[in-house]
Amino acid sequence: MGKHFDRGLFRAVSDVHQLISFPDFSASDPQVQWQRFNNLLWYHNDLGIWLDISRMHINAEDFERLGPRFDQAFKAMQALEQGAIANADEQRMVGHYWLRQPQLAPDQDVCDHIAKEIDLIETFGSNVVNGLIKAPNGKKFTDVLWIGIGGSGLGPLLMIRALQNAEQGLRFHFFDNVDPDGMSRVLGNLGDALSTTLVVTVSKSGATPEPHLGMEQARQRLEAMGGRWEGQAVAVTMLNSQLDQLAQKESWLKRFDMFDWVGGRTSITSAVGLLPAALIGCDTRDFLAGAAQMDEATRVSDLHSNPAALMAAAWFVAGDGLGRRDMVVLPYRDRLEVFSRYLQQLVMESLGKRLDRDGNVVHQGLAVYGNKGSTDQHAYVQQLRDGVDNFFATFIEVLEDVENIPAINNEHPGDFLDGFLQGTRAALSQGGRQSLSISMRRFDPRRLGALVALFERAVGLYGELVNINAYHQPGVESGKKAAAAILNLQSRVEDLLADGVERSAGEIHQEIGDGSEEAIFWIMRHLTANKRGYVADGDWGIPTSLRFSKG
């Protein structure tokens, strides 16, 4: 276990001359590229994971310049893991690292609680999959309807898409939005199978509107077809939240804890990710072990020997410490198709901040987008190679191919996939475009855990480099408050129009004395588009001509 260097350039960490002796980036010299590859390659022997940042425009002088910043970043990460208040807005610790190594928790009760939850999740999942826990109709559970938003939806989706094999465990369906059409399609696809569906509602506070609305829709449909909600409902929430109290009162099938000190975007190693894994018969312990192994590797207080620090340094230099380049994530495996979506929340919610820790307006962030290779050979790689140079690519590959897809006419699909990756990487380099690469010898729950942990630590270290709090989300909270204000305004508009009197948006605004005419127009446009009794008279292209009423 640990880091392997082909040429041992960084073995003598105290030798400054060695640390800065590798050549600067070259877009055309293969010998320089090979030397940089050898000098900058990180490798973990037990996990079988390589990280290569040699095609990023990070040079020796950058390592020297960033050294003092990383000294402080390593100390900050150590303090975080020891239980320092990291989310000052909510006076919360940030302890997702404890989820895979409970013995590191600053309190024995917390340690015991984590270990107990893992046991409960594993046992419950096994009993459901094996039919020891049955649906109220006496049949085995066949499906799961997972209701969660943000990290409570993206983490489980990643687990299912990345780890579930054919005919393994229960079939999964998601309510991860409040789109009524989406809900209708999911419920329609479930059909009669809803009677043997486990309905899991995930809400940390228990008061988030999106999962609550999804839960109510699922419950109404299930009970309308004769199902018994309490025999199929599972809650994943904080102890004594509104959702937890409801689940206790109604004796739901099961309740699992979410911890106050785990944010949604880092909750995948909690019940949020472990329960889906258990319900598809996946090895949850192996997933946690992989994350723990990468945590150990990324605790090393040396920039050159720490893969998360190498990534954070490469990100920092690429965007001048100001996020001026986007991260394009290109996983060359279908199982990781949703990984870019998962990283969007982890990276952008963590790093996208208006203020730094000193209260200065900085507008920090790192935009993330991507799809999968080699699909992108025929999509936006054209722009990456020849268009605006405002990005760096992150290639992710798995070396080991499945054995049940044979070579036909001596053509191995995996060879072509590898060729497309190498070709795209080379083409980008030739154009002076930046990329880094993560290679895994094989892909399984352990490697997924390690991959997630690698990016979690890189995000934490990058946040320290740019002096922002990566563990709060004031912008998200502002959006929630603004949405709540609109819903409150809609309620008042509907109350006003209940008298049947016709009014313009301006008149409604004047009588209510709140909101704005534009917001009222948007509300009425939506209400009149649905069969709720509201009508509009006038020209929709001229908002001031419209008069609204309830018939």
Side-chain angles (χ1 to χ4, degrees):
M1 184 186 304
K3 180 165 180 175
H4 164 74
F5 300 101
D6 196 3
R7 295 191 178 182
L9 182 68
F10 296 133
R11 284 179 184 145
V13 175
S14 60
D15 188 337
V16 176
H17 177 71
Q18 279 193 307
L19 293 181
I20 63 173
S21 63
F22 64 89
D24 285 355
F25 174 85
S26 171
S28 57
D29 189 331
Q31 284 304 310
V32 168
Q33 291 172 350
W34 174 238
Q35 186 177 346
R36 282 174 60 87
F37 180 77
N38 277 274
N39 295 160
L40 293 171
L41 184 66
W42 179 91
Y43 175 57
H44 194 291
N45 186 57
D46 188 56
L47 286 169
I49 296 179
W50 293 260
L51 170 69
D52 166 36
I53 65 165
S54 65
R55 298 297 176 97
M56 298 292 285
H57 293 185
I58 185 169
N59 297 317
E61 64 183 66
D62 299 309
F63 277 76
E64 197 167 11
R65 174 172 58 93
L66 290 174
R69 290 198 191 211
F70 271 101
D71 289 341
Q72 293 301 313
F74 292 137
K75 291 176 183 177
M77 293 300 293
Q78 185 178 19
L80 179 144
E81 288 197 313
Q82 291 174 348
I85 297 298
N87 187 338
D89 290 3
E90 299 172 340
Q91 285 298 296
R92 284 176 172 168
M93 298 181 291
V94 173
H96 52 278
Y97 297 108
W98 310 332
L99 294 168
R100 46 263 198 169
Q101 285 184 289
Q103 66 273 20
L104 296 178
D107 183 284
Q108 187 60 45
D109 289 341
V110 172
C111 173
D112 294 341
H113 193 174
I114 296 170
K116 178 184 175 183
E117 283 297 307
I118 294 171
D119 289 341
L120 290 172
I121 291 165
E122 193 173 54
T123 300
F124 179 78
S126 176
N127 288 342
V128 169
V129 171
N130 294 327
L132 297 178
I133 295 176
K134 291 183 168 61
N137 61 8
K139 297 180 180 180
K140 285 183 66 173
F141 280 106
T142 59
D143 297 77
V144 177
L145 175 54
W146 191 276
I147 304 171
I149 196 78
S152 297
L154 284 168
L157 181 64
L158 175 62
M159 296 296 286
I160 299 305
R161 295 285 182 86
L163 300 177
Q164 188 168 27
N165 295 318
E167 306 303 321
Q168 178 186 16
L170 278 64
R171 297 182 294 267
F172 265 72
H173 314 262
F174 290 87
F175 275 3
D176 57 3
N177 197 2
V178 288
D179 177 8
D181 181 63
M183 291 179 178
S184 175
R185 291 174 64 190
V186 169
L187 293 172
N189 288 336
L190 275 168
D192 292 340
L194 192 57
S195 64
T196 54
T197 295
L198 199 68
V199 184
V200 183
T201 303
V202 188
S203 177
K204 183 175 177 179
S205 69
T208 306
E210 294 94 334
H212 173 77
L213 289 166
M215 180 188 75
E216 292 297 335
Q217 289 293 326
R219 182 170 191 159
Q220 189 276 337
R221 182 68 63 91
L222 187 150
E223 292 179 342
M225 62 184 296
R228 190 162 61 85
W229 175 260
E230 64 273 15
Q232 298 176 234
V234 174
V236 180
T237 187
M238 282 201 307
L239 191 65
N240 293 323
S241 72
Q242 292 181 28
L243 179 60
D244 188 52
Q245 291 177 36
L246 178 66
Q248 291 185 66
K249 179 182 177 182
E250 297 181 345
S251 299
W252 288 16
L253 180 60
K254 197 68 177 176
R255 293 161 30 239
F256 294 104
D257 287 346
M258 291 185 75
F259 302 104
D260 177 69
W261 34 263
V262 176
R265 58 190 176 278
T266 54
S267 65
I268 195 169
T269 48
S270 73
V272 172
L274 298 183
L275 182 56
L279 291 170
I280 60 171
C282 177
D283 190 338
T284 57
R285 304 280 177 169
D286 208 33
F287 174 68
L288 291 171
Q293 277 189 281
M294 185 58 74
D295 286 345
E296 290 288 348
T298 57
R299 285 190 186 103
V300 176
S301 296
D302 170 35
L303 168 56
H304 315 89
S305 305
N306 182 323
L310 289 171
M311 281 214 309
W315 297 352
F316 184 91
V317 173
D320 300 323
L322 299 170
R324 287 176 174 159
R325 289 183 184 274
D326 301 339
M327 183 195 305
V328 182
V329 182
L330 297 170
Y332 277 65
R333 283 288 163 162
D334 288 359
R335 286 185 180 271
L336 289 170
E337 180 180 6
V338 301
F339 191 56
S340 60
R341 288 178 57 193
Y342 178 80
L343 289 182
Q344 279 177 338
Q345 181 179 22
L346 175 63
V347 176
M348 297 176 71
E349 189 170 322
S350 297
L351 302 180
K353 301 295 160 62
R354 176 174 174 268
L355 303 176
D356 67 12
R357 284 198 174 102
D358 299 321
N360 301 309
V361 176
V362 291
H363 295 297
Q364 275 287 354
L366 182 57
V368 178
Y369 64 95
N371 198 349
K372 63 179 180 180
S374 64
T375 301
D376 290 307
Q377 309 298 134
H378 309 283
Y380 50 70
V381 165
Q382 169 62 36
Q383 176 167 314
L384 300 186
R385 177 59 176 80
D386 293 341
V388 58
D389 185 10
N390 65 345
F391 71 94
F392 62 89
T394 298
F395 294 104
I396 303 174
E397 69 166 339
V398 179
L399 303 180
E400 185 178 81
D401 298 327
V402 297
E403 296 180 352
N404 62 354
I405 298 296
I408 298 177
N409 298 324
N410 202 33
E411 292 180 337
H412 296 264
D415 294 351
F416 282 81
L417 195 64
D418 177 70
F420 284 134
L421 186 156
Q422 287 199 49
T424 303
R425 177 174 176 266
L428 293 182
S429 292
Q430 289 164 9
R433 308 304 168 91
Q434 303 184 58
S435 69
L436 61 85
S437 303
I438 299 169
S439 301
M440 293 176 279
R441 192 178 299 281
R442 66 182 59 87
F443 186 74
D444 54 19
R446 182 178 294 260
R447 277 74 198 178
L448 179 61
L451 189 62
V452 167
L454 174 61
F455 277 91
E456 285 179 349
R457 185 83 63 166
V459 165
L461 290 169
Y462 185 92
E464 297 300 329
L465 293 183
V466 298
N467 192 34
I468 57 97
N469 185 343
Y471 306 107
H472 70 161
Q473 47 283 332
V476 176
E477 299 307 320
S478 296
K480 290 179 179 178
K481 291 176 182 176
I486 290 294
L487 291 170
N488 178 62
L489 177 62
Q490 177 174 325
S491 177
R492 297 170 67 183
V493 169
E494 292 190 71
D495 287 344
L496 178 66
L497 294 181
D499 62 8
V501 176
E502 191 178 67
R503 297 173 176 87
S504 67
E507 290 168 340
I508 295 172
H509 174 249
Q510 187 175 19
E511 290 189 50
I512 290 177
D514 194 12
S516 69
E517 293 175 62
E518 185 172 337
I520 291 167
F521 172 82
W522 276 67
I523 288 168
M524 294 310 305
R525 183 168 58 182
H526 179 251
L527 288 175
T528 56
N530 293 279
K531 298 175 180 179
R532 302 193 202 176
Y534 295 94
V535 295
D537 182 33
D539 185 341
W540 279 105
I542 306 175
T544 54
S545 73
L546 291 164
R547 299 185 67 79
F548 306 101
S549 62
K550 186 169 186 180

